[in-house]
Amino acid sequence: MKAVVLGTGGWGTALALVLADNGHDVTLWSRTPAKAEEMARTRENPLLKGVPLPESLAVTGDLDCLEGADLVVSAPPSFAVRETGKKSAPYLRPETILVTVSKGIERDTNLRMSQVLQEATGNVCRGIVALSGPSHAEEVGLRLPTGCVAACLDRSAARFVQSAFMNDRFRVYTSVDIIGVELAAALKNVIALCCGICAGMGFQDNTKALLMTRAMAEITRLGEYLGGQRRTFGGLAGMGDLIVTCTSMHSRNNRAGILIGQGKTVREAMEEVGAVVEGYYAAESVHQLAGREGVEMPICRCAYEVLYQGKRAQDVVPELMGRAGKDELLGTAWL
């Protein structure tokens, strides 16, 4: 099978390695030709140091590589998905399966990444599948056991992606709940920032467990309201991804949050991390979505106020802890 991965970030590169390991004809595309040339020469991505690129994996900056592709993986940062989709559209075929692995919500439109790709490509492809789960690129690159979920309303498209990626180190489940999978992927980045802030302020395990559990209640509440299935948020794309992103220094969101909790400004924190912090952008989209739909999300609201309105993180803790008492399971679960 001919496969193309659009985006030479750590995650796109790691997925290209999975496909190459499975014997597919794989090309990794970079929007920067000079970066593609350097990676092709050194056979390494600086974002995955120590992980060699096999000779069978082609690296290029030319979109002609999309000609005749059976599988195309869209892996740029969320803010670049629309632009990359538009550029790739002329090369896509109706039978091509398009996979989105970017975790975010588009600013202002509040569209999920599959919806952005549908608009950008003119919905030309047979199906768009979201691939997500607890999956640090660094660990996938090292071939450590990892599990993800491939979601699409078209079950055959999800199974196609499952078959393409699955091996004895990369396990893939299927789902028809693409709404829930994409929302869980984007929203957990906000919570990872919050967990990092807690750690930076000196809070420990009790606080993190409280934050993660109650934040999952918020994420589930909004996800269900927007059409996602509750079970998805307790699975790999939901709780699984939340755990790994909130507890690991591999997570850029977690690292940025720690710096903010230690007293750095939001801009200083993101500059020090030195890569895209998706949770920062998602926090604004979540705030817009929750306000538009009338869904109560106090943790995400406080995150927005800290990240965008200059509120001190120290001031939101007593605000959250001082909210009126509730029954945890009254009515529907995880109120």
Side-chain angles (χ1 to χ4, degrees), residues 90-127:
Y91 300 91
L92 302 177
R93 303 174 297 158
E95 58 268 32
T96 302
I97 294 292
L98 187 56
V99 183
T100 172
V101 300
S102 305
K103 298 179 179 180
I105 300 171
E106 189 175 47
R107 186 176 182 178
D108 296 328
T109 69
N110 299 145
L111 294 176
R112 306 186 321 273
M113 294 296 100
S114 65
Q115 295 173 308
V116 173
L117 284 174
Q118 283 177 329
E119 287 190 358
T121 64
N123 204 22
V124 67
C125 294
R126 167 185 155 195

Side-chain angles (χ1 to χ4, degrees), residues 45-328:
N45 185 337
L47 296 175
L48 289 180
K49 290 182 179 179
V51 179
L53 304 180
E55 293 298 329
S56 61
L57 176 61
V59 187
T60 183
D62 189 346
L63 277 173
D64 285 347
C65 65
L66 286 167
E67 293 284 359
D70 304 295
L71 179 75
V72 175
V73 179
S74 172
S78 60
F79 62 80
V81 166
R82 185 175 293 274
E83 176 191 356
T84 304
K86 286 181 179 178
K87 288 180 178 179
S88 63
Y91 300 91
L92 302 177
R93 303 174 297 158
E95 58 268 32
T96 302
I97 294 292
L98 187 56
V99 183
T100 172
V101 300
S102 305
K103 298 179 179 180
I105 300 171
E106 189 175 47
R107 186 176 182 178
D108 296 328
T109 69
N110 299 145
L111 294 176
R112 306 186 321 273
M113 294 296 100
S114 65
Q115 295 173 308
V116 173
L117 284 174
Q118 283 177 329
E119 287 190 358
T121 64
N123 204 22
V124 67
C125 294
R126 167 185 155 195
I128 299 179
V129 179
L131 181 68
S132 188
S135 47
H136 289 312
E138 296 85 351
E139 296 185 14
V140 173
L142 292 172
R143 280 73 170 181
L144 299 178
T146 299
C148 284
V149 56
C152 184
L153 283 172
D154 181 346
R155 287 185 183 274
S156 65
R159 288 169 181 153
F160 181 89
V161 172
Q162 179 186 48
S163 177
F165 281 96
M166 192 158 161
N167 59 38
D168 59 2
R169 298 175 302 276
F170 196 83
R171 184 166 179 79
V172 182
Y173 294 83
T174 60
S175 170
V176 294
D177 185 19
I178 189 170
I179 296 175
V181 165
E182 288 193 283
L183 288 174
L187 302 185
K188 57 85 185 176
N189 285 329
V190 182
I191 310 310
L193 259 173
C194 294
C195 274
I197 291 172
C198 282
M201 293 170 64
F203 297 130
Q204 299 185 28
D205 295 342
N206 291 355
T207 311
K208 292 178 188 176
L210 169 65
L211 175 63
M212 290 169 64
T213 306
R214 296 310 306 166
M216 180 52 71
E218 293 189 12
I219 292 173
T220 304
R221 191 157 54 229
L222 180 63
E224 277 195 298
Y225 196 92
L226 294 173
Q229 298 176 16
R230 175 176 296 274
R231 288 178 299 176
T232 297
F233 294 88
L236 283 170
M239 184 58 76
D241 207 2
L242 182 72
I243 290 169
V244 81
T245 311
C246 289
T247 60
S248 173
M249 288 302 288
H250 285 316
S251 167
R252 296 190 295 269
N253 296 287
N254 189 32
R255 296 203 310 271
I258 289 171
L259 295 170
I260 294 169
Q262 290 172 343
K264 302 238 172 136
T265 67
V266 173
R267 181 174 296 278
E268 287 171 344
M270 293 200 295
E271 288 177 352
E272 186 166 331
V273 169
V276 176
V277 179
E278 290 283 12
Y280 172 76
Y281 302 101
E284 184 176 29
S285 296
V286 173
H287 183 71
Q288 292 172 351
L289 275 171
R292 188 186 75 193
E293 306 297 341
V295 177
E296 185 185 22
M297 301 185 74
I299 295 172
C300 290
R301 173 181 54 78
C302 286
Y304 174 80
E305 291 172 352
V306 170
L307 295 172
Y308 286 90
Q309 296 182 340
K311 196 167 186 176
R312 294 193 330 144
Q314 292 86 342
D315 294 334
V316 306
V317 176
E319 177 183 342
L320 289 170
M321 293 298 291
R323 297 175 72 241
K326 292 186 176 184
D327 187 306
E328 185 179 33

Side-chain angles (χ1 to χ4, degrees), residues 11-31:
W11 187 216
T13 302
L15 290 175
L17 291 171
V18 174
L19 291 169
D21 286 348
N22 289 353
H24 301 300
D25 176 9
V26 188
T27 300
L28 184 58
W29 174 84
S30 173
R31 65 186 294 272

